[in-house]
Amino acid sequence: PRIIPGFMIQGGDPTGTGTGGESIYGGTFKDEFHSRLRFSHRGIVAMANPNEKDANASQFFITLDKCDWLDRKHTIFGKVTGDTLYNVMDMGKLETNEEDRPVEVIPKIVNVEILWNPF
């Protein structure tokens, strides 16, 4: 994972290099945007991409603050809700190296609960 304090936590690369992973569809898939889904607060979960249109694969990120400059550039597909948001904010405070990778503790998401329309 990568952690950039005040911005985001990125994960989803099974190779651990920051450039790997493919979607469950094989290859990449198209961006999906909705006018009501915006990077308006912390806890937004979205697809990471290499700054290319329709290049979504397996990597994702969770915002640690408002990131409105990302609107319509990354597919939003979720939101961290409830007390779990405090865990995300704690992950955002972990010490990182010059490559934005955690120094000691490597955080992992071990389970999720899907809520119908958390927005």
Side-chain angles (χ1 to χ4, degrees):
R2 279 190 337 153
I3 299 171
I4 302 174
F7 177 36
M8 63 92 185
I9 299 167
Q10 182 176 339
D13 176 3
T15 69
T17 64
T19 60
E22 72 174 39
S23 78
I24 61 170
Y25 308 111
T28 60
F29 61 94
K30 290 185 174 191
D31 294 320
E32 297 179 31
F33 303 123
H34 189 285
S35 61
R36 289 180 27 201
L37 298 180
R38 304 258 186 228
F39 290 94
S40 57
H41 54 277
R42 62 188 180 188
I44 299 296
V45 185
M47 295 305 301
N49 62 44
N51 295 319
E52 297 174 19
K53 184 179 180 186
D54 301 329
N56 300 298
S58 66
Q59 295 187 47
F60 65 93
F61 63 95
I62 304 170
T63 61
L64 297 173
D65 205 346
K66 179 180 178 178
C67 302
D68 54 358
W69 66 91
L70 298 177
D71 288 344
R72 302 194 58 78
K73 294 180 182 168
H74 296 272
T75 298
I76 295 172
F77 66 90
K79 178 171 97 172
V80 178
T81 62
D83 289 341
T84 303
L85 187 58
Y86 298 115
N87 295 334
V88 169
M89 298 311 292
D90 285 345
M91 285 171 48
K93 296 174 186 172
L94 292 174
E95 181 183 356
T96 58
N97 63 20
E98 60 279 348
E99 296 176 331
D100 301 319
R101 304 205 183 275
V103 173
E104 293 181 24
V105 179
I106 306 240
K108 293 184 179 182
I109 297 172
V110 293
N111 64 44
V112 298
E113 179 180 351
I114 307 297
L115 303 176
W116 180 251
N117 193 8
F119 300 100

